[in-house]
Amino acid sequence: MSPTSPSPHGQSPLRTVQVLGGGNAGSSAHVRSLAAGLVARGVRVTVCAPAEADRAYDFTGAGADHVHVPRRSDPASVAALRAACTGADLVHAHGLHASFRAVLALSGRTTPLIVTWHNHAHAEGARAQFLRLLERRVARTAAVVLGTSSGLVDRARRTGARDARLAAVPLPGRRIPADEHPGRPKLRAELGALGRPLLLAVGSLDHHRGYDLLLDAARVWRRLDPLPLLVIAGEGPLRAQLQARIEDEELPVRLAGRREDVADLLAAADLALLPGSWEARPVLAQEALHARVPLVATDTDGVRELVGDAAELVPRGDADALAAAVVRLLDGPERCEELRDRGTRQAATWPTEDETVAQVLSVYDELTQPQPLI
């Protein structure tokens, strides 16, 4: 069905605006998948996001219109978003900052607003108080808040949401198991991990990612033979600080910078490591289970809900427990194989892209279809 053909929503196609900040890979991939699914069902979709997000995720290639809206809340950006939302049947914003911009842009209008919270907002000090104010404003304004974990749904309810629901976000695309990946030996050679275990962590080099904890754990691995290599794929403000520690302490760690081949890196790895605790539904955890790569992760409500018993979960902030879990898996091929099998079964329980689109579309129907008289 083309985006301009009649739809089951009435005489003219439903028109939605998806608002995206553009700073999170998981939410950006979700919006691309959602846009493609909605367009295929006859919905007109406009994606408001920074131009670089459209270049990276090709929303227009999914059949959506794209409007460049910077990741800012200044009057010009809000005005651009307000203009793009004119005539929309509903607006769906993804992430706290995008949601707040949508609240500002829709001020004085009756257009229904749906927001999806993909992760816990992370900040300290005065900024943390500011984010709590944003959360409260968004939660109380939105018609529906969709949380990607039970913890986010509970948080939305505590913050004053009128209607908060669980809405898991799947990882788009088909995944190839690591042991079937054709480029695995070559990539391990390029990384310097021939004849030694390869450990992988992925994400921007920020404080909330837990990389200091990871380097603390890496000190323990220096005693192992063969010596594991930890590769961290990502870029950010902590690069110089982390690199200095790596050199001063002679840690077996390589900062690989921003990479476009994370799926290939994961396929080459023996273990995936997730030391941070801020993500509700981490992309790396999903990728690892799909790829049958054993995962060691910080034990949070969102991660436990996502992976079940298919990963080694360690207490938050416990470098010794993290190091011990890695050593245990490197010394325990049977446990690794058990986690691979459990991961395959766990990933099979996650919703598909089609199921996710259908769920979101049912919410749209509730907000846009006339309610029967009783």
Side-chain angles (χ1 to χ4, degrees), residues 58-352:
D58 192 20
F59 305 120
T60 52
D65 296 322
H66 171 253
V67 175
H68 169 64
V69 177
R71 193 176 183 271
R72 298 192 300 269
S73 298
D74 60 277
S77 298
V78 172
L81 181 56
R82 185 175 178 85
C85 292
T86 300
D89 294 296
L90 56 84
V91 175
H92 189 168
H94 300 263
L96 178 59
H97 293 284
S99 300
F100 181 66
R101 286 196 297 279
V103 167
L104 297 178
L106 294 176
S107 178
R109 294 182 177 177
T110 59
T111 309
L113 172 64
I114 300 169
V115 303
T116 296
W117 286 356
H118 294 259
N119 295 305
H120 295 277
H122 181 86
E124 298 176 355
R127 181 166 173 77
Q129 176 65 21
F130 174 67
L131 289 182
R132 284 193 290 271
L133 293 174
L134 293 191
E135 283 183 332
R136 187 177 302 116
R137 175 79 180 274
V138 168
R140 294 180 178 181
T141 302
V144 177
V145 178
L146 301 176
T148 61
S149 72
S150 297
L152 286 173
V153 173
D154 292 341
R155 186 179 184 92
R157 289 171 178 160
R158 291 195 305 270
T159 309
R162 291 173 282 169
D163 186 341
R165 313 180 192 181
L166 182 65
V169 174
L171 204 60
R174 178 181 175 274
R175 298 306 184 275
I176 301 175
D179 55 4
E180 298 177 14
H181 198 286
R184 191 171 194 267
K186 180 181 178 182
L187 189 51
R188 287 180 68 95
E190 292 174 357
L191 293 169
L194 286 179
R196 62 192 297 198
L198 176 61
L199 317 177
L200 179 68
V202 178
S204 57
L205 306 183
D206 296 304
H207 285 286
H208 58 273
R209 293 283 185 176
Y211 291 133
D212 280 330
L213 182 80
L214 201 52
L215 297 192
D216 290 342
R219 297 208 300 245
V220 176
W221 306 331
R222 291 180 302 186
R223 303 194 300 263
L224 300 181
D225 184 20
L227 181 66
L229 173 65
L230 169 61
V231 171
I232 300 176
E235 196 54 82
L238 291 186
R239 168 175 272 277
Q241 177 182 323
L242 294 174
Q243 187 62 50
R245 274 199 65 185
I246 292 167
E247 294 173 3
D248 291 345
E249 300 174 31
E250 298 182 348
L251 300 176
V253 180
R254 174 178 172 181
L255 302 182
R258 185 175 288 108
R259 301 281 297 226
E260 301 298 327
D261 60 345
V262 170
D264 296 331
L265 289 175
L266 184 60
D270 295 290
L271 300 178
L273 308 182
L274 189 65
S277 59
W278 71 287
E279 294 180 275
R281 196 175 177 88
V283 172
L284 181 62
Q286 297 177 69
E287 293 273 16
L289 268 60
H290 276 299
R292 290 177 56 84
V293 175
L295 172 70
V296 178
T298 294
D299 188 0
T300 65
D301 291 343
V303 171
R304 193 183 319 113
E305 185 176 296
L306 177 66
V307 305
D309 63 356
E312 288 279 354
L313 301 182
V314 300
R316 183 181 310 186
D318 192 333
D320 291 335
L322 176 60
V326 169
V327 173
R328 188 162 57 249
L329 289 180
L330 292 179
D331 289 340
E334 298 85 1
R335 173 60 175 163
C336 287
E337 190 60 28
E338 179 185 12
L339 290 179
R340 293 187 187 99
D341 292 341
R342 288 183 178 183
T344 298
R345 291 194 295 270
Q346 181 71 11
T349 68
W350 297 337
T352 66

